[in-house]
Amino acid sequence: MATVKEAVKETLIGTTREPQLSQQTKATFDKYARRDEETGELYMTEEEFVNAIAPETEDYHKIKREQYAILFQVADRKNLGKINIHDWGTFENLLAKPDAEYEIAFRLFDVRGTGIVKYDDFQKLYSLNKGDESIPFDWNCEWANLYIGSKKRRHDMTYPQFSQMLRGLQGERIRQAFQLFDRDGDGYIEPEDFQRIILETAKHKLSDHLLENLPTLCNISTGSKISYANVRAFQNVIREMDLVDLVIRNATSKSEDRKITRTDFLNEAARITRFSLFTPMEADILFHFAGLDEPSGRLALGDFSKVLDASWQNAHIFGSEAASAASNVAGKALTSTASILHTLLESAHHFALGGIAGAFGAFMVYPIDLVKTRMQNQRSQRVGEMLYKNSIDCARKVVRNEGFTGLYSGVLPQLIGVAPEKAIKLTVNDLIRGHFSETSTGKIWWPYEVLAGGSAGACQVMFTNPLEIVKIRLQVQGEIAKNVEGVPRRSAMWIVKNLGLVGLYKGATACLLRDAPFSAIYFPTYNHLKRDYFGEGPNKKLGVLQLLTAGAVAGMPAAYLTTPFDVIKTRLQVEARKGETKYTNLRHCAKTIFQQEGFKAFFKGGPARILRSSPQFGFTLAAYEVLQNLLPMPGSEDASATLPTGHIEPGVGLQEAKAPLPYLRSRNALKIILDLDENFGRPKLPTGKSWLPLPGLGERGASA
């Protein structure tokens, strides 16, 4: 019973849930973990851990997926070969830190969990994962001694010291490798040796285009060899890729043809940096590799992407260039078709839900609408006495003379017609708001809110006017039949046939002048009440009562301020009786009402209109939002999860990567670890085993 009460309370007043990492953590853990048959507890082995942090849909042609298993050692601090929910929560919390990449690398080597990295532990783990044929690295060099002390005076490394050492490690590896291959000691190496150095030290960070064309670096000078200055300049370029990206983006945006030269690049770099960070040789290297397929020297963003985007792949990886081109064309066509189809289905979904919600709202307040119509149609200059004193008197007389069902005279065509009317209004408003809203925050400038609402109201007139003229004539014929003998009751179909197509749109101008301002006032007010007063947001879901209140309050000013046009529309659409003035057009109607009945006549039925329109739209929008939650667009939540993410690196222009954040942080941590050696995390083929834990510091559990 308590559960039912809580569910009802949640539906009526809404819920507020603070975002908790533990909820996200548990959901991920439950998704990938396996259950222990004996204890019933959930746990992850290395395999499930890799599945959780490295989705199969990502791109692993740079860093192999099996190499992510090395991070399992960071999560499995007890060396049991499995982790529980608490271990996983600790690891995810680590991923959320701003310096997660360096701290993950530090914890990998802090095998004792003491907050320091001992040199002996570091060396053992490094030796276990170093490739047998890797270029040797001398840890007794002067550079290393500055960080870890000389051979006889080694000291432990704290986290800041260790991370700073890793920061400069790649440069020292390249320097030592250059000295190794500079056999003559003349400061030059062969292009093939340069390629091997970069492949072993930076392959995981560079594009295929760059890697395959490394030997061509010798072409930037007159000789056939590569100097140490060339190597250092190349290293500086790859270290400052993000800044290079920013300079290129700014420079190309200022160019009429979106292409730039080497001079444009250097000039823009001087403008946006406090100091000139790029030497002429570095600019030469950048434009050399980016311009291999464009010898003119004027390069566009697409040319630079082959250098800057590490996930860029050559066509032969997927087959032939022709196959790749055909695949791209087919992919674009498929994406375009799917996008159009999705838009159509989304519109149909909005339309259906809006129709149901509109019919529900109209039915709930229809008696008030009938009273409003009869009050507006009552003229003070009528021959004989007035039928109704006020709205309450009108409702009483309708029930007394026509029965309770008299309050629902003409409801059937109203329900049939209101579905497309409200659906069009809600759909157009949603689509226009969505077009002008910021994608990331959902915010929209208030004039665009007014435009969206006004456009929605204008679009509904094509359905509203025929619907209302039939409804109004059905609503007033009850009082005619009661007071005038021999007057037959007409059906909706008879009224439609009698009016004809042109007659159904009588009073359409007044209808437009009423509906467009109504929606322009209503929708922005409704949305601001939800967001600013009731506090709706990502972490707070409003209940039905709050949605009803917001809709009802928003409808009050919208309904009352547009009452004059509603009165004019009603008078134009009701068939004039004997002795009454017959209105010829909107201007004549407004002028006659003012002359014969005064300014107050324009607000006849205003209170009833508030009592009708305000709750009607409250019911309609509340029902619409409840239906959206109960019947969401199929595939709207999970469709993106089934598709490959494509390029995982931020593309040219500093665009955000689209992959999950845990994967991105894990990948970036691996990039730092692989600066030590590209073989970290790879299985050692001679022994047939993966990389091993340190001897004496715990063994894998049998359950792994």
Side-chain angles (χ1 to χ4, degrees):
M1 182 62 69
T3 304
V4 175
K5 288 182 178 178
E6 291 173 1
V8 172
K9 181 179 179 182
E10 179 179 316
T11 302
L12 291 176
I13 65 175
T15 56
T16 302
R17 293 188 178 94
E18 294 298 328
Q20 297 180 15
L21 180 63
S22 61
Q23 295 177 350
Q24 302 169 8
T25 300
K26 188 175 185 304
T28 305
F29 185 81
D30 291 344
K31 180 179 179 180
Y32 293 100
R34 66 172 67 178
R35 189 175 297 279
D36 190 308
E37 295 182 358
E38 296 182 1
T39 64
E41 294 183 359
L42 293 175
Y43 68 94
M44 280 185 183
T45 63
E46 188 177 276
E47 179 183 356
E48 290 81 37
F49 176 83
V50 172
N51 291 335
I53 66 167
E56 293 183 353
T57 53
E58 297 302 332
D59 185 352
Y60 297 101
H61 88 283
K62 284 295 169 189
I63 302 176
K64 301 306 178 185
R65 190 164 180 262
E66 61 266 19
Q67 290 182 276
Y68 285 78
I70 197 173
L71 302 181
F72 181 73
Q73 194 71 6
V74 177
D76 181 21
R77 301 311 300 173
K78 299 175 184 177
N79 290 317
L80 299 175
K82 62 180 181 180
I83 60 173
N84 57 27
I85 180 65
H86 302 295
D87 298 325
W88 172 253
T90 301
F91 183 77
E92 276 219 335
N93 181 261
L94 174 61
L95 290 177
K97 291 188 174 183
D99 57 345
E101 294 84 355
Y102 279 99
E103 189 162 345
I104 287 174
F106 177 78
R107 292 197 184 190
L108 179 67
F109 288 93
D110 177 20
V111 293
R112 304 173 190 272
T114 57
I116 57 174
V117 171
K118 293 185 174 294
Y119 175 75
D120 291 340
D121 294 342
F122 174 80
Q123 268 296 318
K124 289 177 183 178
L125 191 53
Y126 172 76
S127 299
L128 283 171
N129 289 275
K130 183 178 181 294
D132 295 332
E133 298 182 359
S134 297
I135 298 173
F137 182 80
D138 181 14
W139 286 100
N140 293 315
C141 66
E142 293 183 4
W143 177 89
N145 290 343
L146 294 174
Y147 285 100
I148 58 179
S150 61
K151 190 173 183 179
K152 295 181 179 180
R153 300 178 63 86
R154 300 291 192 202
H155 63 77
D156 301 333
M157 285 181 285
T158 62
Y159 170 54
Q161 292 171 337
F162 180 80
S163 57
Q164 199 60 45
M165 182 198 71
L166 290 182
R167 172 72 172 165
L169 178 61
Q170 188 180 68
E172 178 62 17
R173 287 186 66 196
I174 292 175
R175 188 193 67 80
Q176 288 191 23
F178 186 93
Q179 284 187 323
L180 178 68
F181 290 111
D182 180 17
R183 299 174 183 88
D184 299 332
D186 60 355
Y188 289 91
I189 61 175
E190 296 293 335
E192 292 75 16
D193 294 331
F194 169 69
Q195 185 176 36
R196 183 185 173 188
I197 292 172
I198 299 303
L199 286 175
E200 286 202 21
T201 59
K203 178 182 177 181
H204 54 288
K205 293 181 177 180
L206 304 179
S207 70
D208 290 353
H209 170 82
L210 200 56
L211 295 174
E212 291 178 3
N213 291 285
L214 287 173
T216 66
L217 181 61
C218 64
N219 294 331
I220 70 168
S221 60
T222 56
S224 61
K225 291 187 176 183
I226 295 175
S227 68
Y228 185 66
N230 295 149
V231 176
R232 272 299 176 192
F234 179 84
Q235 185 194 4
N236 291 342
V237 170
I238 64 176
R239 283 191 59 175
E240 300 294 341
M241 283 293 196
D242 288 337
L243 181 57
V244 171
D245 193 346
L246 179 61
V247 174
I248 291 171
R249 178 164 59 94
N250 281 11
T252 53
S253 67
K254 298 174 182 178
S255 172
E256 291 184 1
D257 61 354
R258 293 295 187 266
K259 293 183 178 182
I260 60 172
T261 63
R262 172 183 175 277
T263 302
D264 297 328
F265 173 81
L266 289 174
N267 287 339
E268 189 61 31
R271 290 190 189 98
I272 68 173
T273 58
R274 182 168 296 180
F275 305 102
S276 182
L277 296 180
F278 300 104
T279 66
M281 182 179 287
E282 291 165 2
D284 288 339
I285 289 174
L286 173 64
F287 274 75
H288 165 73
F289 286 108
L292 287 174
D293 299 323
E294 184 57 54
S296 68
R298 289 189 63 80
L299 306 181
L301 285 177
D303 300 312
F304 290 108
S305 67
K306 293 183 292 186
V307 176
L308 302 179
D309 186 357
S311 61
W312 192 92
Q313 301 180 49
N314 285 328
H316 75 266
I317 294 176
F318 303 104
S320 66
E321 292 187 6
S324 175
S327 175
N328 289 338
V329 172
K332 289 179 181 178
L334 181 61
T335 302
S336 177
T337 303
S339 177
I340 294 172
L341 181 60
H342 182 270
T343 302
L344 291 174
L345 290 175
E346 187 176 31
S347 298
H349 180 255
H350 285 314
F351 195 89
L353 296 188
I356 297 171
F360 173 74
F363 183 82
M364 295 297 292
V365 298
Y366 191 81
I368 303 174
D369 183 63
L370 181 134
V371 170
K372 184 264 313 178
T373 300
R374 293 199 178 182
M375 288 297 299
Q376 288 181 340
N377 187 49
Q378 181 173 250
R379 311 190 190 187
S380 59
Q381 301 298 321
R382 181 187 303 279
V383 178
E385 62 182 37
M386 296 175 61
L387 289 176
Y388 314 116
K389 298 177 182 178
N390 50 49
S391 297
I392 296 176
D393 180 57
C394 176
R396 287 174 178 172
K397 288 181 177 178
V398 170
V399 174
R400 184 174 66 242
N401 297 330
E402 304 170 44
F404 181 78
T405 56
L407 293 172
Y408 284 91
S409 297
V411 71
L412 186 58
Q414 169 78 348
L415 296 182
I416 295 173
V418 80
E421 172 206 330
K422 293 297 184 287
I424 273 240
K425 175 184 286 190
L426 295 171
T427 301
V428 170
N429 179 69
D430 276 1
L431 291 177
I432 297 180
R433 281 185 67 91
H435 176 75
F436 288 110
S437 297
E438 294 179 10
T439 306
S440 56
T441 62
K443 293 182 179 179
I444 180 174
W445 188 34
W446 71 265
Y448 288 145
E449 288 188 282
V450 174
L451 174 64
S455 301
C459 289
Q460 77 172 46
V461 173
M462 61 182 296
F463 288 102
T464 304
N465 206 81
L467 162 70
E468 295 221 350
I469 194 169
V470 174
K471 178 197 71 173
I472 286 171
R473 295 201 174 189
L474 288 172
Q475 287 178 335
V476 299
Q477 73 173 354
E479 64 182 15
I480 298 174
K482 185 69 180 177
N483 294 280
V484 183
E485 295 183 1
V487 177
R489 296 183 70 91
R490 305 296 188 183
S491 66
M493 289 304 299
W494 185 93
I495 295 173
V496 171
K497 290 179 181 179
N498 185 60
L499 286 171
L501 181 62
V502 177
L504 286 172
Y505 283 91
K506 188 177 183 180
T509 304
C511 189
L512 176 65
L513 292 174
R514 179 200 65 176
D515 289 348
F518 179 94
S519 297
I521 297 170
Y522 182 83
F523 282 110
T525 306
Y526 174 71
N527 283 288
H528 280 281
L529 282 171
K530 287 197 304 175
R531 185 177 67 247
D532 301 333
Y533 184 78
F534 290 107
E536 184 184 45
N539 303 319
K540 183 174 183 180
K541 175 185 175 184
L542 301 186
V544 176
L545 291 180
Q546 291 163 315
L547 294 173
L548 278 172
T549 303
V553 173
M556 291 178 183
Y560 193 77
L561 293 175
T562 56
T563 298
F565 294 111
D566 191 51
V567 171
I568 294 171
K569 180 194 70 68
T570 300
R571 295 288 181 91
L572 287 170
Q573 291 179 338
V574 173
E575 191 174 1
R577 303 174 194 172
K578 187 177 181 180
E580 293 180 341
T581 303
K582 186 175 183 179
Y583 306 118
T584 57
N585 52 47
L586 187 148
R587 180 179 295 180
H588 175 253
C589 179
K591 181 179 179 181
T592 304
I593 292 173
F594 181 74
Q595 290 176 343
Q596 295 182 357
E597 305 173 50
F599 181 76
K600 290 184 178 180
F602 287 111
F603 289 90
K604 279 187 175 181
R609 181 167 162 75
I610 291 175
L611 291 174
R612 190 270 299 180
S613 297
S614 182
Q616 176 182 356
F617 279 89
F619 280 120
T620 298
L621 280 176
Y624 182 64
E625 299 203 16
V626 170
L627 287 171
Q628 281 186 317
N629 292 329
L630 294 177
L631 303 171
M633 176 76 177
S636 59
E637 296 179 354
D638 302 324
S640 61
T642 61
L643 299 174
T645 57
H647 285 219
I648 59 173
E649 298 286 346
V652 176
L654 299 182
Q655 300 167 358
E656 292 184 355
K658 303 301 182 183
L661 188 59
Y663 164 72
L664 293 174
R665 303 306 288 270
S666 299
R667 183 203 66 196
N668 292 342
L670 274 175
K671 285 184 178 181
I672 295 173
I673 295 169
L674 294 182
D675 281 348
L676 287 161
D677 193 281
E678 65 166 341
N679 293 291
F680 260 77
R682 287 183 176 175
K684 294 233 176 179
L685 298 180
T687 61
K689 297 181 180 180
S690 300
W691 72 288
L692 303 173
L694 293 180
L697 293 178
E699 301 294 335
R700 297 282 185 186
S703 60

